[in-house]
Amino acid sequence: MLLDEQQRLMLCGGCCGGWTVPQIRMTNGADFRATATAFLTKEFGLLAPRFGPVYGRRHTEYTEDWEFARVTATRVFVIHISNAEGDRLEERSATHARWTLEYLRKRRREVFPEGVVTLTTGYIEGWLPNGPISLF
């Protein structure tokens, strides 16, 4: 998730009938942080992404009937961007928008993956500890 200097979250509304944080699918066993860094550099021109100390995680097992009953692992990293970087990203595509925390709370049911609004709120307000946070 990309947060600008005004604590606005960058979202993509161009697919899936809802709003999502920028995301990429990774191969089994991929290094989450390295792959995220390469994606952010290639797709958004962020040469040295500034990772926050908190990240969201979700891990499912075969017994959970989620995403076609496959084992999945998800990470949502907090990446700090400047307002100018956010402006450039919004200019690239009409489907990208930055939402304030107040607006996120009003439209929380439209934002995916599950738990992103809580992660964003806790991070901005400072009530989440550093390290991994469950997205359940």
Side-chain angles (χ1 to χ4, degrees), residues 2 9-15 19-23 39 43-44 81 85-99:
L2 304 175
L9 179 65
M10 177 68 67
L11 293 170
C12 176
C15 66
W19 291 91
T20 66
V21 293
Q23 54 189 289
F39 169 73
E43 295 299 319
F44 298 108
I81 61 174
E85 288 170 322
D87 291 344
R88 282 194 302 276
L89 295 177
E90 279 187 319
E91 289 170 5
R92 288 179 54 195
S93 172
T95 63
H96 288 97
R98 286 175 286 178
W99 290 9

Side-chain angles (χ1 to χ4, degrees), residues 32-42 46-49 51 77 79:
F32 285 100
R33 191 174 174 123
T35 304
T37 298
F39 169 73
L40 292 167
T41 299
K42 179 181 176 190
L46 302 176
L47 300 179
F51 287 79
F77 295 109
I79 308 297

